């Protein structure tokens, strides 16, 4: 029996909210810091030690005692009593009248008043002569213990994606492991009797499936593991069996299907979803392309039923699937807020009751303004234009790649 | 004998040009398309077949013959003679007066005048009744063979980085393998007697090395393989031996060192570089930070001698090393051109004879203008501010990450 399907229609913004409400961050795991790039912190990490770990010289120069050996009206003289290289682990001590040659990053000896760079000093007969003016400067050329990071300071907040800058801070603070959220494992099913696998002969009326390659690549850019990417014909029993098998065997954190989302006889995704006990959150959107698209939970597994045409798959992935993945990753800020940009080219038709999405290319002009134009048909996108029926000079765009 | 070192001073722009001139794309290799994301095409790839592969229905509806069975003043009637699902490999034929039910993506039967969507048709007694107005519409709901991609059309240009959008096009066209440039293999050496490895006890006067973690992560974001990341004390013999060993054993495509670039006694990088027969392209830049930094060729291997402080390493990586990596990858456009942005916050001091680089955070404001502010000390950067001594309201920035 074909299950009855009710229409649950949402706007794009409502859909994004509804998805976010139903997806929780994946469980935590502890991994080596060396593998943590682009993973999402599951806990607040605070500094275990100060940085620098002790008072250090900020220059190659002389560490001078508070009192010179002698001084005239122009210069003060100090006896050069030794040298401290960076990495010297012995805590040295300056007696009055003494100076040590000291290198950038080396620990300041006890009794140091200031460091004076080599280039303003003069060496003579085992002494260093320093102009008096240098001894009056405010700049001591000493980096104080903890001036960069103090013990207990926040190094990485929970629910933050770890960037190279975070890894630097964490590594310098002695962090070797970090607790992050697990990476999402995503399964992809491309439905369509017309789909031919790459390498198989292309029969008349058929097409080579590109959605699998597209989604696998998009998932990779979102730091997911694509656990499988299967093609299946428009046959409700086969699609049902395939989904059951994937859920049982692979336990995906997210399932994405393409195709089979129209009102036609062979559009089976909703039917299969309902038959499997799936609970729809929406099955219609006030969005073009994407009017017929489904999101729901299938035995707790989030499920996106995307349309078949790859241009729609691409746009809806960025608008709906990517923020869901961000939530699974545990990231707090999904980023990708809509921005305002100047539209280059003629005004575009939009619909009052619906968001029209268009693939676009954004750039910053010579005056520092964000500008956007429609992408050519085969051109890679870096932005998605949102037409909402209320356009002035500025349009709304979502940036999805580096600016041209 | 300590080799004599001459000063070769360049501006930042000159340095970028000089580096690009000395680096050639790595050799080519053929890889599966499924592994090609973010790799750089080594040849122009042209379409081997059209897409769609035949004339297709653009809607679920009826394919109508040129002549109806009969017509009155309001509707034309056609005999429903069958159904064509997407993926049907038999080339059907419409006789005059006939219609086929047809699904989106299915091959158009011979003799079809147009497709009319189900929702504007009425079925009655094995016939479909179509309003005459529908038969006069310009829109035929037929996607012609090759309307998306024609045989011979360019799908991916040589020296282009492959994005998900390219992989979609290539997969749909039946491409299973692609010729790309090899990925760069990069070796990192962090010099400094004060450097302690993570996990070792931190002695007074020492610091835990963070440059290795920073550079490994930055290299990962640039799609390089970091083949080794070693720490060595300030000892010319040891540094020399280590570099020789890495070049002989690992054959890196690029070598990066940190530290040892000042004028001090323990600043050995230039000395070692010269001793190993390295040919300098520059060893000074009119850039702060980064005055003392080296680029040259060591037995044909490009070598960057970066300073020790991680904030300088980070900025100079983005400004100098990343474009070199882009060249090794074979990419034509390095992207990352300087953009203009409005500076938020007080005007910044800059120097007339030198570019001052500052870590920054860029965003797009509500009017679509790019704005930039200095980053807080522990904040991840998404932009680098360039101060060139000639600032008006707009400053120059290089974007290095997604906009806030």
């Amino acid at each position: 029996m074909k299950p009855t399907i009710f229409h649950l229609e949402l706007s794009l913004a409502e859909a994004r909210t509804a998805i976010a409400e139903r997806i929780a961050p994946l469980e935590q795991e502890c991994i080596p810091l060396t593998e943590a790039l682009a993973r999402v912190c599951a806990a607040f990490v605070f500094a275990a030690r100060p940085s620098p770990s002790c008072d250090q010289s900020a220059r190659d120069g002389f560490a001078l005692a508070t009192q010179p050996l002698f001084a005239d009206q122009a210069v003060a003289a100090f006896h050069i009593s030794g040298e401290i290289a960076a990495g010297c682990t012995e805590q040295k001590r300056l007696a009055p009248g003494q100076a040590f040659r000291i290198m950038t990053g080396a620990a300041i000896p006890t009794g140091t008043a200031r460091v004076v760079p080599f280039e303003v000093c003069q060496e003579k007969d085992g002494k260093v002569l320093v102009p008096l003016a240098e001894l009056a400067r405010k700049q001591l050329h000493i980096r104080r213990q903890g001036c960069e990071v103090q013990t207990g300071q926040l190094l990485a907040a929970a629910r933050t994606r770890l960037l190279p800058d975070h890894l630097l801070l964490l590594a310098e603070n002695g962090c070797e492991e970090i607790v992050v959220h697990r990476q999402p494992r995503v399964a992809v099913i491309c439905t369509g009797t017309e789909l031919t696998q790459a390498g198989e002969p292309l029969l008349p009326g058929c097409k080579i499936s590109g959605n699998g390659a597209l989604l696998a690549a998009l998932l990779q850019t979102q730091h997911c593991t694509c656990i499988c990417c299967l093609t299946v014909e428009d046959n409700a029993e086969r699609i049902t069996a395939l989904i059951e098998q994937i859920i049982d065997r692979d336990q995906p954190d997210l399932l994405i299907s393409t195709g089979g989302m129209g009102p036609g006889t062979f559009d089976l995704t909703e039917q299969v979803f309902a038959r499997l006990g799936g609970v729809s959150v929406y099955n219609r959107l006030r969005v073009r392309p994407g009017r017929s698209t489904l999101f729901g939970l299938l035995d707790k597994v989030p499920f996106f039923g995307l349309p078949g045409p790859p241009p729609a798959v691409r746009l809806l992935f960025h608008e709906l699937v990517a923020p869901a993945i961000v939530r699974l990753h545990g990231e707090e800020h999904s980023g990708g807020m809509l921005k305002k940009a100047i539209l280059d080219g003629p005004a575009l038709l939009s619909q009052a009751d619906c968001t029209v999405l268009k693939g676009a290319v954004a750039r910053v002009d010579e005056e520092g303004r964000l500008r956007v134009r429609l992408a050519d048909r085969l051109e890679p996108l870096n932005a998605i234009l949102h037409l909402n029926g209320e356009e002035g000079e500025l349009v709304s765009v979502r940036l999805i790649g580096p600016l041209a």
Side-chain angles (χ1 to χ4, degrees), chain A:
Chain A
M1 197 190 76
K2 198 167 155 175
T4 311
I5 290 167
F6 299 96
H7 281 155
L8 300 157
E9 186 177 271
L10 299 181
S11 72
L12 183 58
E14 287 164 351
R16 286 171 63 104
T17 304
I19 293 165
E21 282 169 357
R22 278 157 185 90
I23 294 186
L26 296 176
E27 64 270 31
Q28 306 177 1
E29 61 182 1
C30 185
I31 61 168
L33 194 68
T34 49
E35 297 168 13
L37 182 67
R39 300 296 292 271
V40 178
C41 254
F44 287 81
V45 185
F46 299 98
R49 47 171 66 86
S51 174
S53 59
C54 58
D55 292 357
Q56 288 181 342
S57 177
R59 295 293 290 273
D60 290 355
F62 285 99
L64 305 180
T66 43
Q67 290 298 320
L69 202 58
F70 58 81
D72 62 21
Q73 282 170 325
V75 297
F78 297 81
H79 177 69
I80 302 173
S81 309
E83 182 174 80
I84 312 176
C88 167
T89 58
E90 187 192 338
Q91 179 60 49
K92 307 260 184 165
R93 170 178 294 275
L94 275 177
Q98 286 187 334
F100 282 122
R101 226 177 241 109
I102 192 165
M103 302 305 147
T104 305
I108 292 291
T110 315
T112 299
R114 62 169 64 237
V115 172
V116 178
F118 284 139
E119 54 267 32
V120 296
C121 298
Q122 204 189 338
E123 284 186 53
K124 199 174 171 188
D125 303 331
K127 293 185 196 65
V128 53
L129 306 179
V130 185
L132 285 187
E134 294 297 325
L135 300 183
R137 284 194 195 281
K138 214 171 149 191
Q139 174 64 272
L140 302 183
H141 298 300
I142 296 174
R143 291 173 64 234
R144 295 295 174 192
Q145 183 189 60
C147 70
E148 286 179 8
V149 176
Q150 292 184 0
T151 303
Q153 200 168 347
L154 183 65
L155 297 180
R159 315 199 67 172
T160 303
R161 191 170 295 273
L162 292 166
L163 302 172
D165 295 354
H166 294 113
L167 299 186
L168 167 65
L169 277 180
L170 292 166
E172 283 190 314
N173 211 256
C175 173
E176 293 174 74
E177 293 184 325
I178 189 157
V179 178
V180 296
H181 292 284
R182 186 165 62 70
Q183 283 187 299
R185 301 170 68 254
V186 183
V188 173
I189 303 168
C190 302
T191 73
T193 306
E194 76 280 19
L195 300 179
T196 302
Q197 300 284 4
E200 290 174 6
L202 181 61
L203 299 172
C206 291
K207 64 173 284 187
I208 303 168
S209 176
N211 278 332
L214 174 64
L215 284 170
L218 288 171
L219 289 169
Q220 202 178 326
T221 65
Q222 299 289 323
H223 311 290
C224 293
T225 308
C226 181
I227 51 175
C228 63
C229 189
L230 302 167
T231 299
V232 58
E233 67 257 53
D234 297 315
N235 172 310
E237 280 65 40
R238 298 225 185 171
I239 301 174
T240 305
L242 187 63
I243 292 179
E244 280 181 325
Q245 186 193 338
I246 289 172
I247 290 185
D248 286 352
R249 188 192 57 193
D250 299 326
Q251 302 180 316
D253 302 309
L254 181 68
L255 235 161
I256 304 172
S257 76
T258 65
M261 277 306 302
T265 330
F266 299 98
D267 289 322
L268 303 166
T269 304
E270 280 203 74
Q271 212 187 103
V272 167
F273 182 75
R275 184 194 286 193
L276 284 166
V279 179
S280 289
V281 172
Y282 62 77
N283 57 10
R284 276 200 173 209
L285 290 181
R286 292 192 288 279
V287 177
R288 301 273 181 293
R291 193 164 72 130
S292 292
T293 173
L294 168 78
F295 174 75
L297 297 176
L298 200 53
D299 199 15
K300 292 186 189 160
V301 181
F303 178 93
F304 283 95
L306 300 181
V313 169
R314 175 169 72 161
L315 294 172
L316 296 174
F317 181 91
H318 289 294
E319 293 294 334
L320 298 167
V321 183
I325 290 171
V326 162
R327 290 282 299 179
L328 287 171
H329 268 296
E331 202 174 358
E332 180 145 30
H333 300 288
S334 71
M337 301 297 289
L338 288 176
K339 317 234 182 283
K340 290 292 178 189
I342 299 169
L343 178 64
D344 283 334
L348 295 167
L349 282 180
S350 68
Q351 292 172 255
D353 61 340
C354 154
T355 302
V356 178
L357 304 175
K358 298 273 185 194
V361 178
R363 67 181 175 100
V364 178
D365 71 11
E366 305 70 41
E367 268 98 46
R369 288 170 308 209
L370 190 61
R371 305 192 83 101
V372 67
R373 63 170 173 80
L374 290 186
D376 292 336
R377 207 156 32 79
L378 302 186
E379 192 176 25
L381 315 180
N382 70 2
I384 297 175
L385 193 51
H386 284 230
L387 301 171
N388 286 305
E390 40 173 58
E391 270 60 60
E393 195 209 10
L394 295 173
V395 289
S396 295
V397 293
R398 199 181 307 281
L399 298 179
I400 58 170
L403 291 176

